[in-house]
Amino acid sequence: MNHLMEAVSVLLDPDAWSGPSGFGARMLEHLWYTGLALLISAALALPVGLLVGHTGRWRALAVISSGMVRALPTLGVITLAALFVGIGLTAPMIAFVVLAIPSILAGAYAGVESVNPATKDAATAQGMSGWQVLLRVEIPLGLPLIIGGLRNATLQVVATATLAAYVGAGGLGRQLFLGLRTQDYPLMLAASLAVILLAIVLDALFELSQRLLRRRMGVV
Amino acid sequence: MKRMSAAAAGLTVLALSACGGGDPLETDDDGAEDTAAENGGALTVGSQQYYSNTVLAEIYAQVLEQEGYEIQREYEIGQREVYIPELESGAIDVFPEYTGNLLDYFDPENEPGDAEEVHAALGEALPEGLEALDYAEATDQDSYVVTEEFAQEHDLQTVGDLAEVEQDLRIAANSEFETRPYGIEGLAETYGVELELVPVEDSGGPLTLGALLDGEVEVANIYSADPAIEDNDLVILEDTESLVLPQNVVPIVSDNVDEAAREALLQVQAVLDQQQLLDINSHSQTTQDSPGDVAQWWLEEQGMLD
């Protein structure tokens, strides 16, 4: 309990937030890593997921391979990647993308599959092409699940981005590792609380966007 | 439902008490103390959770076995907070340690000094019933390392020489390097050397080494007993001002260890120089043999086993 109080007082100290290695700068780095990892993994996983959902092909492959990838320990991926590409942001970014892809992929194909087959048939019967069905029917109707996948991926990456500091990059992991190595547990706890805070804020934003979406679509 | 949770609680209690009774150190304590007091026959050797330390423990153990002592092995104990009390209580009798770190444990406010001074200070800081035998020449300590190429290019021999280098310098080290006395602040104060820390958290392991070899940093913090230093022709910069606390290998022994046993350990200490420790670690890493095999190999090389 004592550590917790000290950790809170670390976070309430304005000095701890300023400067190039303060909590403020590290939090921005942390956000930037999270955003970048999501952007890359969404660019890779969304098209594949939508395609799998739309065509129904390679579904088993997508399910099995993303399941296998989920089992990879992220620290191991970072270390292995860093042995090849060196220290810095590249290795952790590879690991974060690997971490984020399964959730986004699953969200995408599940979203498309969730659309009522009768609705798709109706769209086709009205003369829509396959692309039009995908873009105008399946994606809009599957959006809550697609965004759900992004939401899961975001939570995983924001919580794991502390590991970037293991190989010389920044982010809130810097404070976390410094606290760990010097037995400064209040600092370590403060960094953890900052990550939790970030995760809650990001999750709340997703919740908000999903609610707005549902309201627009007329689903309550 | 209530009955279920009561049963679960009962099981938990059972499991916990089983754990308590199963503490191997507890039982060894009695056994070791009795026999050692009576005929000086049985001793317990411990080691840290670090392969090099376990090999050293095994070397001590085999030398003692050769002298006719019966040895119990308690290896791979993680933290000093765990094994020091076991040493103090007499549950462990012999433990390979490092002078500086152990001094830091007993006397965090100690004054930095050279190997001799640190060993003397350690002798005073150790609690009643424990003794530090002579330290070996071999050390396993933080060291500032550069590539041979970089050392030649800038004519570097000591840490202080880094101050003359006309470029921004980066050092790969654990993040604790930011605040430790031998870290970037200490380097700036003592040597006037300004370094930018690139934190790599594998304690001088392959990632730190890779960063140095790839030129992503100019300096790296690698332990002086790491065979990677020799394998990659790295140059250890001499710490002329003793910024880094010396970490000479030293056996810590309890009162149960009699004169003959101490003599046997001192024979090991006498030959254990830096090259020998590097050879031991290198052999251990390349062959991946068990600590027992590595210890036996080294002792045979030294002609210390019959």
Side-chain angles (χ1 to χ4, degrees):
Chain A
M1 212 51 202
N2 235 341
H3 281 333
L4 189 59
M5 301 299 284
E6 285 177 54
V8 170
S9 66
V10 167
L11 284 177
L12 291 178
D13 177 12
D15 287 347
W17 285 82
S18 58
S21 57
F23 272 97
R26 294 298 180 209
M27 208 175 223
L28 282 180
E29 276 176 337
H30 204 94
L31 261 181
W32 156 238
Y33 296 170
T34 309
L36 184 63
L38 278 172
L39 218 65
I40 297 172
S41 39
L44 292 170
L46 274 184
V48 176
L50 294 175
L51 197 73
V52 168
H54 180 69
T55 61
R57 280 189 217 162
W58 310 300
R59 190 177 184 280
L61 187 70
V63 173
I64 293 169
S65 59
S66 63
M68 269 162 43
V69 168
R70 266 183 217 262
L72 286 176
T74 304
L75 185 58
V77 177
I78 290 180
T79 309
L80 196 65
L83 286 175
F84 287 102
V85 301
I87 57 167
L89 190 55
T90 317
M93 201 47 73
I94 291 172
F96 300 157
V97 169
V98 167
L99 180 73
I101 279 180
S103 299
I104 298 178
L105 190 68
Y109 68 68
V112 173
E113 284 172 358
S114 72
V115 179
N116 190 340
T119 315
K120 293 185 210 173
D121 288 344
T124 316
Q126 288 200 327
M128 282 194 186
S129 68
W131 277 109
Q132 284 172 322
V133 173
L134 179 68
L135 293 176
R136 296 195 191 165
V137 179
E138 290 174 330
I139 293 181
L141 287 176
L143 212 49
L145 277 177
I146 296 172
I147 292 182
L150 287 168
R151 183 176 174 176
N152 281 341
T154 307
L155 271 190
Q156 283 177 300
V157 173
V158 80
T160 314
T162 46
L163 288 178
Y166 190 82
V167 288
L172 286 166
R174 288 287 283 266
Q175 273 94 343
L176 198 116
F177 275 114
L178 182 62
L180 177 70
R181 298 282 187 189
T182 56
Q183 282 93 46
D184 184 350
Y185 298 122
L187 179 67
M188 196 175 150
L189 199 53
S192 315
L193 289 176
V195 174
I196 294 171
L197 198 73
L198 215 51
I200 291 176
V201 169
L202 288 176
D203 204 48
L205 286 177
F206 270 104
E207 174 66 29
L208 198 68
S209 65
Q210 276 177 313
R211 272 192 201 180
L212 285 176
L213 200 74
R214 262 181 252 141
R215 193 172 301 165
R216 254 197 76 187
M217 287 166 62
V219 193
V220 186
Chain B
M1 200 55 205
K2 215 170 225 174
R3 196 176 297 167
M4 285 266 290
S5 54
L11 276 177
T12 317
V13 171
L14 267 179
L16 284 174
S17 55
C19 288
D23 185 348
L25 296 169
E26 210 88 38
T27 43
D28 287 343
D29 180 8
D30 303 331
E33 233 165 13
D34 291 343
T35 40
E38 278 159 28
N39 55 22
L43 293 170
T44 304
V45 180
S47 83
Q48 297 175 353
Q49 204 163 29
Y50 169 41
Y51 78 96
S52 175
N53 189 267
T54 304
V55 175
L56 291 174
E58 189 54 37
I59 288 173
Y60 293 158
Q62 291 187 16
V63 164
L64 291 172
E65 271 174 340
Q66 170 147 294
E67 295 294 316
Y69 294 88
E70 192 188 314
I71 300 296
Q72 303 262 13
R73 292 165 166 81
E74 294 290 351
Y75 292 162
E76 308 276 330
I77 312 174
Q79 304 277 329
R80 280 197 181 81
E81 286 75 9
V82 177
Y83 66 72
I84 297 290
E86 300 291 342
L87 267 165
E88 287 176 325
S89 74
I92 297 175
D93 304 302
V94 181
F95 208 109
E97 259 290 358
Y98 306 94
T99 50
N101 280 340
L102 192 59
L103 177 59
D104 261 344
Y105 177 86
F106 284 111
D107 178 14
E109 310 289 305
N110 68 78
E111 294 282 315
D114 60 23
E116 190 76 51
E117 289 161 355
V118 168
H119 183 257
L122 176 63
E124 281 169 29
L126 280 176
E128 198 74 7
L130 290 183
E131 204 177 316
L133 299 183
D134 290 355
Y135 63 87
E137 194 198 310
T139 73
D140 202 345
Q141 65 195 40
D142 292 86
S143 64
Y144 311 98
V145 171
V146 295
T147 60
E148 193 179 29
E149 198 187 355
F150 192 76
Q152 277 173 0
E153 189 184 332
H154 298 279
D155 197 20
L156 301 175
Q157 269 150 11
T158 67
V159 178
D161 291 344
L162 285 172
E164 309 296 321
V165 178
E166 301 265 320
Q167 71 179 79
D168 290 341
L169 294 175
R170 293 157 298 180
I171 182 165
N174 280 352
S175 51
E176 71 216 53
F177 215 70
E178 201 161 318
T179 54
R180 293 274 191 226
Y182 57 83
I184 42 177
E185 279 171 31
L187 283 167
E189 274 171 37
T190 310
Y191 290 107
V193 175
E194 302 283 343
L195 291 170
E196 187 201 337
L197 175 65
V198 179
V200 181
E201 308 287 346
D202 69 344
S203 305
L207 296 175
T208 307
L209 178 70
L212 181 69
L213 296 178
D214 292 348
E216 286 176 271
V217 292
E218 290 73 33
V219 190
N221 175 22
I222 294 179
Y223 294 116
S224 57
D226 191 335
I229 293 177
E230 211 177 36
D231 296 346
N232 297 285
D233 294 322
L234 303 181
V235 177
I236 295 182
L237 298 176
E238 200 189 330
D239 177 23
T240 49
E241 302 292 323
S242 296
L243 190 59
V244 177
L245 211 51
Q247 307 287 357
N248 296 76
V249 174
V250 64
I252 303 300
V253 298
S254 73
D255 286 342
N256 295 335
V257 181
D258 61 19
E259 254 333 291
R262 291 174 188 223
E263 280 303 317
L265 294 174
L266 286 176
Q267 281 177 12
V268 174
Q269 292 301 99
V271 291
L272 191 64
D273 60 18
Q274 193 63 27
Q275 192 57 49
Q276 296 293 348
L277 184 57
L278 281 167
D279 286 349
I280 290 169
N281 289 350
S282 174
H283 185 84
S284 185
Q285 286 197 358
T286 38
T287 62
Q288 296 284 318
D289 280 348
S290 71
D293 289 347
V294 176
Q296 194 185 348
W297 163 81
W298 184 76
L299 285 168
E300 276 168 2
E301 290 271 300
Q302 306 305 310
M304 294 173 80
L305 281 189
D306 300 328

